[in-house]
């Protein structure tokens, strides 16, 4: 079988996890990493400004930048020349993001898989599936580190480093498993715990975090300022969560040692789907909900039935 | 929105569960039940022999017969005149069943959704998904009543009634959750427990059960003969199971009070998908793996992302 020629855009935790996974998967040929920073990767690295030179030399790109600032702008440009897969996770922008991209991808005859991680991604699929079958479906995240929320804090002026833990409201989880529908606001289902290393105005930073739309506004959020030394104990990127229905009739649970490694695994799996869609002439912007599971494999999928 | 005109074929536990669910779902208009037996349903009932008269009057049929004897033969005939959904569960026959039907359905411009319950069905999807992302995926069923296996026993000459409980090997489940890959035969993962009311040769019946290919052959199977009075305590059709990967990284679990009611819910959900596929001119025989999740809803599925 012909290997899929791929490249990584962005070399943070997710990009590094993908590099490791792709180098160990014979179906892929990892050509290079693109970054705006001066990085040392295991494969060739090029500045983002050179990416256009790789048109027709790469089958698909893995976009690994942050949703808050990078992906939307990058995607709009890159769809002219490349297929790509991303894990864009800014929930409130997803609809516009996909519909804009859909139009452009159809036009330029490219295939994009968007919002492809575990949430959005696998959890999105479970929500649709569970609601269609049972109804009364709930999602809980954590306890774990949200990379998207941590990055959003790091993007604030005066923040040196930050980590955000998402915690489920355990009482409410228990209530649902006992068959009682909770009578609360969605944002009461979780608590957001932030640890921040700052060199700027702490009050202003705290205010900016707590009022950040989409990410923190409306949630019970605690912000604790710590020093760089203390931050070292917060480097384990574990996460998890569950999607469930009343009485726990249907339950999908993830227990992740490393959030970026697992997200990278989901993206790698759906990169196979992207390639299969593209080779079938299916152009456009796809979410996981738009993709029949069979596209995930090149072997005889009937064996899984 | 136009209601989907549907009918039920076969009026056992599954057919009765579907009748109840469909009468309470405004998206469907349940026209009638077809049966070979003389039955009393909540809607009009007709003998199977009259079904051809309903061509063009029914949007889709729910096939609720047994996999061992009914569905394969019925499907081959019905695909000439109808769309239908079934939960055919004879694993070793699935490939042939779907490929035969695929050809005929494309020819007669019908849409069929096959093998659509929780296993085969939801569990099939999870196996493909989990294997594509994490690898090392395992399926456990029970403790619970397998309708397919119970029916297969009931079809044996001399059997008045029967129930089959599937039990997971708890030690092996624990081992997998602790990250240890089990080194056993697939058929060692479960135990099959049968309770049978018989009026025929018990030794012959026991022999026939234990050696039945696809269903019991190779499994640790116990057969206990009981009387009709004792069978009354075995009428709760609970079931469940889980698909999981090593270390319990990914886990999909079902805890079902009633197996036929839940199977009926899955079929009802995918009947919406069938209708959406058919209206888009997508003819053929589909398993759950061939269907993008978006088809499950007529509302804006982006909301689930």
């Amino acid at each position: 079988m012909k290997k899929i020629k791929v490249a990584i855009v962005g070399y943070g935790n997710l990009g590094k996890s993908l590099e490791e996974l792709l180098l160990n998967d014979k179906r892929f040929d990892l050509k290079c990493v693109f970054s705006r920073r001066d990085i040392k990767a295991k494969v060739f690295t090029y500045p983002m400004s050179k990416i256009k030179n790789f048109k027709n030399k790469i089958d698909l790109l893995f976009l690994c930048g942050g949703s808050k600032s990078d992906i939307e702008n990058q995607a709009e440009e890159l769809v002219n020349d490349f297929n790509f897969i991303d894990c864009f996770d800014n929930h409130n922008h997803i609809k516009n993001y996909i519909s804009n991209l859909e139009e452009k991808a159809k036009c330029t005859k490219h295939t994009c898989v968007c919002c492809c991680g575990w949430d959005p991604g696998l959890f999105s699929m479970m929500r649709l599936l569970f609601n269609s079958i049972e109804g009364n479906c709930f999602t809980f995240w954590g306890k774990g580190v949200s990379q998207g929320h941590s990055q959003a804090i790091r993007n604030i002026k005066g923040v040196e480093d930050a980590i955000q833990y998402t915690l489920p409201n355990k009482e409410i989880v228990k209530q649902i498993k006992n068959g009682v529908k909770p009578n609360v606001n969605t944002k009461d289902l979780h608590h957001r715990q932030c640890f921040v290393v700052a060199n700027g105005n702490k009050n202003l930073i705290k205010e900016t975090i707590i009022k950040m739309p989409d990410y923190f506004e409306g949630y019970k959020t605690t912000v604790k300022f710590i020093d760089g030394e203390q931050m070292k104990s917060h480097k384990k990127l574990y996460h998890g969560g569950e999607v469930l229905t009343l009485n726990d009739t249907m339950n999908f649970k993830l227990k992740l040692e490393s959030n970026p490694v697992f997200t990278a695994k989901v993206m790698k799996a759906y990169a196979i789907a992207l390639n299969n869609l593209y080779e079938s002439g299916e152009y456009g912007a796809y979410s996981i909900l738009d993709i029949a599971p069979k596209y995930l494999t090149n072997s005889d999928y009937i064996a899984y039935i």
Side-chain angles (χ1 to χ4, degrees), chain A:
Chain A
M1 233 187 69
K2 231 182 72 188
K3 288 192 178 201
I4 305 172
K5 296 190 291 283
V6 299
I8 293 167
V9 178
Y11 199 62
N13 288 317
L14 180 61
K16 284 173 194 163
S17 303
L18 265 164
E19 179 185 46
E20 194 62 35
L21 290 170
L22 292 166
L23 288 174
N24 287 292
D25 190 325
K26 287 175 183 167
R27 299 170 299 175
F28 295 94
D29 175 12
L30 176 58
K31 292 293 189 189
C32 58
V33 174
F34 296 98
S35 174
R36 283 170 307 206
R37 294 176 297 139
D38 188 18
I39 55 155
K40 264 194 186 158
K42 289 179 187 168
V43 294
F44 290 114
T45 62
Y46 298 97
M48 266 309 279
S49 54
K50 299 283 183 214
I51 200 166
K52 282 219 167 222
N53 302 348
F54 289 80
K55 181 171 178 167
N56 298 325
K57 291 175 187 161
I58 300 278
D59 296 322
L60 68 91
L61 300 172
F62 290 90
L63 303 195
C64 301
S67 296
K68 187 81 180 150
S69 53
D70 297 340
I71 295 181
E72 273 172 298
N73 297 331
Q74 284 177 348
E76 202 172 340
E77 274 297 308
L78 292 173
V79 69
N80 293 315
D81 303 313
F82 298 98
N83 298 324
F84 63 77
I85 184 162
D86 70 52
C87 60
F88 185 73
D89 70 351
N90 193 338
H91 282 267
N92 293 354
H93 291 200
I94 282 173
K95 192 171 178 162
N96 280 338
Y97 177 64
I98 294 185
S99 65
N100 288 340
L101 212 51
E102 166 78 359
E103 203 178 317
K104 285 183 183 155
K106 284 228 188 281
C107 214
T108 63
K109 294 202 171 175
H110 285 112
T111 307
C112 309
V113 174
C114 304
C115 311
C116 178
W118 57 277
D119 198 358
L122 302 180
F123 274 20
S124 318
M125 191 199 292
M126 298 305 152
R127 281 189 287 267
L128 172 52
L129 199 61
F130 289 17
N131 265 313
S132 304
I133 294 167
E134 269 286 310
N136 286 313
C137 171
F138 304 89
T139 305
F140 289 93
W141 301 275
K143 182 185 174 177
V145 178
S146 164
Q147 296 172 92
H149 289 80
S150 300
Q151 188 58 43
I153 301 174
R154 286 187 209 112
N155 288 341
I156 297 171
K157 205 188 146 190
V159 170
E160 277 180 27
D161 200 359
I163 197 108
Q164 194 261 196
Y165 295 99
T166 304
L167 290 85
N169 186 327
K170 284 182 187 173
E171 275 309 304
I172 295 179
V173 176
K174 203 172 145 187
Q175 199 183 316
I176 291 166
K177 291 190 178 180
N178 288 330
V180 183
K181 206 171 161 174
N183 185 19
V184 295
N185 189 300
T186 315
K187 293 185 175 179
D188 294 333
L189 302 177
H190 294 88
H191 174 195
R192 302 201 174 278
Q193 196 178 39
C194 315
F195 294 90
V196 182
V197 182
N199 57 19
N201 181 327
K202 288 181 181 173
N203 283 336
L204 187 62
I205 290 169
K206 186 175 172 178
E207 203 68 6
T208 309
I209 295 171
I210 287 170
K211 291 189 176 166
M212 194 186 297
D214 306 342
Y215 284 79
F216 293 97
E217 199 177 29
Y219 284 93
K220 183 178 168 199
T221 302
T222 58
V223 179
K224 195 177 174 193
F225 289 94
I226 59 175
D227 60 33
E229 194 53 36
Q230 289 169 309
M231 184 54 88
K232 286 181 184 166
S233 68
H234 291 282
K235 288 297 168 195
K236 282 190 183 151
L237 298 175
Y238 63 88
H239 213 327
E242 60 187 320
V243 180
L244 73 166
T245 63
L246 274 188
N247 289 306
D248 213 22
T249 302
M250 304 181 80
N251 187 305
F252 177 75
K253 197 172 200 165
L254 294 175
K255 214 172 74 186
L256 311 174
E257 232 179 85
S258 163
N259 186 353
V261 170
F262 187 75
T263 302
K265 284 181 182 176
V266 178
M267 290 175 80
K268 180 166 77 75
Y270 274 91
I272 297 291
L274 188 163
N275 197 60
N276 286 330
L277 286 163
Y278 182 72
E279 304 238 305
S280 318
E282 305 277 358
Y283 311 126
Y286 293 77
S287 74
I288 281 185
L289 303 182
D290 299 288
I291 301 175
K294 68 171 173 184
Y295 287 107
L296 287 165
T297 180
N298 294 313
S299 70
D300 180 16
Y301 64 94
I302 296 285
Y304 291 99
I305 299 180

